[in-house]
């Protein structure tokens, strides 16, 4: 039978870390405890191996990744960047899709921990409150956690965020500079922090330009392609329909363009549309989609680099890294001439 360091720890009734200190000859262990561990090692004819050592050091050279929706190009771009950077730094990657379901996310975490990952990256925005986040703080007690595109206070938790308030502000400001005053917003989940932050940026832009905020121009979707179509129909039936739509992500912006076309409206001839994220397919859309870029590839790359800093001790990472957004203007927006 091939015994492991876990077996030794169980038989000696001590932690794996204690057995590791005896094997590696570092740290302080009580003489009586050390003697018992060495006797068990001799009895089992146990020979330490590199895998066991890496597990004890919590550096199995494997990184876990949890994404909310692998079908969303936003997450696909982050995952691709994580894998590319992991290859450069010598790590393997295990990815898990939660389907935006909290119980599935917890199952993903359990699976990753059972596979002895050295750290976990969570990609995408999160809800506000303990329901969405307490289990993240719990897992951070076991392995380092990096949140890509989100911030959460907690020990052993690191974050990379896009300044979404600024991004929404600049996106709406770009529409106002084109002459638009009736600007609708199709937001994401109402209780998600990214949605809350983008709405703040939207409101701030209107206020700074002296434009009245109108509640009837705000709709909440689900960040999916078909999550904006019914909202578009409702908006265009208003007594004063919007001349521009700001969508909280690119998929909803695409859904909005499709819905507008079904209504016989031209984009941007009749109405301008802007998204958020700037996924790769935007420039191939008809019309090409204007969007707020938030550098998903950079976020994925940096997430791996943060974990590598922790594992190697080469540098102490910051708790929070901020990616500044920028508006990428394409043909889905035009200057209002009426």
């Amino acid at each position: 039978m091939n015994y492991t360091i876990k077996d030794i720890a169980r038989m000696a009734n001590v932690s794996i870390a204690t057995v590791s200190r005896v094997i590696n000859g570092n740290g302080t262990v009580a003489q009586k405890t050390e003697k018992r561990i060495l006797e068990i090692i001799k009895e089992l004819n146990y020979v330490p191996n590199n895998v066991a050592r890496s597990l004890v050091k919590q550096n199995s050279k494997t990184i876990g990744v949890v994404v909310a929706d692998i079908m969303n190009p936003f997450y696909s771009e982050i995952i691709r960047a994580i894998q590319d950077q992991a290859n450069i730094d010598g790590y393997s990657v295990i990815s898990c899709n939660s389907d935006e379901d909290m119980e599935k996310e917890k199952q993903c975490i359990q699976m990753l921990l059972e596979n002895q990952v050295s750290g976990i990256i969570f990609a995408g925005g999160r809800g506000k409150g303990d329901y969405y986040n307490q289990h993240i703080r719990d897992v951070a007690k076991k392995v380092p956690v990096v949140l890509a595109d989100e911030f959460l206070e907690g020990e052993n938790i690191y974050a990379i965020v896009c300044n979404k308030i600024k991004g929404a502000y600049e996106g709406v400001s770009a529409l106002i500079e084109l002459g638009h005053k009736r600007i609708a917003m199709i937001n994401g989940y109402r209780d998600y922090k990214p949605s809350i932050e983008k709405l703040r940026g939207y409101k701030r832009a209107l206020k700074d330009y002296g434009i009245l905020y109108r509640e009837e121009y705000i709709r909440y979707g689900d960040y999916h392609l078909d999550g904006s179509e019914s909202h578009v129909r409702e908006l265009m039936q208003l007594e004063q329909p919007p001349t521009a739509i700001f969508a909280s992500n690119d998929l909803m912006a695409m859904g909005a363009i499709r819905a507008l076309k079904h209504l016989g409206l031209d984009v941007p001839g009749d109405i301008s549309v802007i998204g958020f994220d700037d996924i790769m397919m935007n420039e191939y859309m008809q019309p090409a989609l204007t969007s707020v870029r938030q550098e998903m590839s950079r976020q994925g790359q940096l997430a791996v680099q943060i974990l590598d800093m922790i594992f190697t001790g080469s540098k102490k990472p910051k708790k929070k890294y901020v990616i500044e957004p920028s508006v990428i203007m394409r043909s889905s927006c035009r200057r209002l001439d009426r």
Side-chain angles (χ1 to χ4, degrees):
M1 180 175 179
N2 293 323
Y3 291 99
T4 68
I5 194 169
K6 289 184 178 179
D7 296 320
I8 296 170
R10 176 177 51 78
M11 295 171 71
N13 196 29
V14 297
S15 69
I16 294 175
T18 300
V19 177
S20 172
R21 286 196 291 271
V22 172
I23 291 173
N24 295 310
N26 54 25
T28 303
V29 178
Q31 187 174 0
K32 184 177 179 181
T33 302
E34 182 178 6
K35 182 180 179 182
R36 183 166 73 252
I37 292 171
L38 290 173
E39 287 174 350
I40 293 171
I41 289 174
K42 184 177 180 181
E43 180 183 341
L44 300 179
N45 195 27
Y46 172 77
V47 178
N49 58 61
N50 290 333
V51 173
R53 292 178 189 273
S54 69
L55 295 180
V56 171
K57 295 177 182 178
Q58 292 194 331
N59 189 3
S60 61
K61 302 294 284 185
T62 304
I63 293 171
V65 183
V66 179
V67 295
D69 181 7
I70 195 63
M71 296 299 291
N72 187 328
F74 170 85
Y75 296 110
S76 300
E77 291 186 31
I78 292 180
I79 286 288
R80 175 62 183 269
I82 288 172
Q83 290 176 330
D84 288 347
Q85 188 62 41
N87 287 338
I88 293 171
D89 291 339
Y91 295 97
S92 300
V93 176
I94 302 176
S95 300
C96 185
N97 179 44
S98 70
D99 287 325
E100 298 182 329
D101 182 290
M102 204 54 55
E103 291 308 312
K104 283 188 178 181
E105 181 174 81
K106 293 176 182 177
Q107 292 170 13
C108 287
I109 293 170
Q110 184 60 35
M111 180 275 290
L112 293 173
L113 292 177
E114 289 174 357
N115 279 273
Q116 302 289 351
V117 296
S118 301
I120 300 179
I121 298 169
F122 292 86
R126 309 194 63 81
K128 188 176 181 181
D130 284 346
Y131 170 76
Y132 296 100
N133 298 306
Q134 185 54 51
H135 61 289
I136 304 298
R137 294 189 175 94
D138 291 339
V139 76
K141 297 175 184 177
K142 302 173 183 177
V143 296
V145 165
V146 179
L147 302 180
D149 195 41
E150 187 56 276
F151 175 72
L152 181 65
E153 289 279 4
E155 187 70 26
N156 214 23
I157 299 176
Y158 304 83
I160 306 147
V161 297
C162 169
N163 188 338
K164 293 181 176 60
I165 296 174
K166 181 181 178 182
Y169 180 94
E170 292 189 353
V172 174
S173 296
L175 291 172
I176 296 171
E177 293 288 344
L178 289 173
H180 297 277
K181 294 184 179 180
R182 302 202 306 269
I183 302 169
M185 178 180 188
I186 301 178
N187 208 348
Y189 299 116
R190 188 184 296 265
D191 59 347
Y192 262 41
K193 286 188 285 184
S195 305
I196 295 169
E197 291 174 354
K198 289 170 187 175
L199 181 60
R200 285 176 62 190
Y202 168 92
K203 288 181 175 180
R204 186 176 296 176
L206 295 183
K207 182 179 179 181
D208 285 355
Y209 281 88
I211 299 172
L212 181 67
Y213 169 75
R214 299 170 62 169
E215 190 70 37
E216 66 266 30
Y217 282 167
I218 307 300
R219 295 292 188 275
Y220 287 93
D222 58 7
Y223 288 115
H224 295 146
L225 185 64
D226 57 358
S228 57
E229 294 203 30
S230 63
H231 298 309
V232 167
R233 289 193 294 271
E234 293 170 0
L235 289 167
M236 301 315 295
Q237 289 172 0
L238 293 173
E239 186 176 342
Q240 289 187 311
T243 63
I245 293 175
F246 168 60
S248 196
N249 81 339
D250 289 335
L251 288 184
M252 290 195 297
M254 292 174 184
I257 291 174
R258 183 171 65 183
L260 290 164
K261 289 182 177 180
H262 287 166
L263 292 173
L265 297 171
D266 179 69
V267 179
D270 297 311
I271 184 168
S272 292
V273 177
I274 182 171
F276 201 109
D277 291 339
D278 197 36
I279 58 179
M280 290 179 64
M281 66 179 68
N282 284 358
E283 58 186 304
Y284 303 106
M285 285 280 296
Q286 290 296 328
L289 181 62
T290 297
S291 185
V292 178
R293 178 176 291 174
Q294 64 164 325
E295 302 286 358
M296 289 88 73
S297 293
R298 177 59 183 147
Q299 292 187 46
Q301 178 188 53
L302 187 52
V304 176
Q305 291 173 339
I306 289 170
L307 288 177
D308 186 59
M309 289 180 216
I310 296 168
F311 300 151
T312 63
S314 60
K315 184 178 178 182
K316 184 177 180 180
K318 296 187 293 185
K319 294 289 286 181
K320 183 179 182 180
Y321 294 79
V322 179
I323 304 288
E324 294 298 336
S326 58
V327 177
I328 306 301
M329 191 63 66
R330 299 192 181 93
S331 56
S332 67
C333 294
R334 75 175 185 93
R335 182 169 296 280
L336 191 66
D337 55 7
R338 62 181 185 275

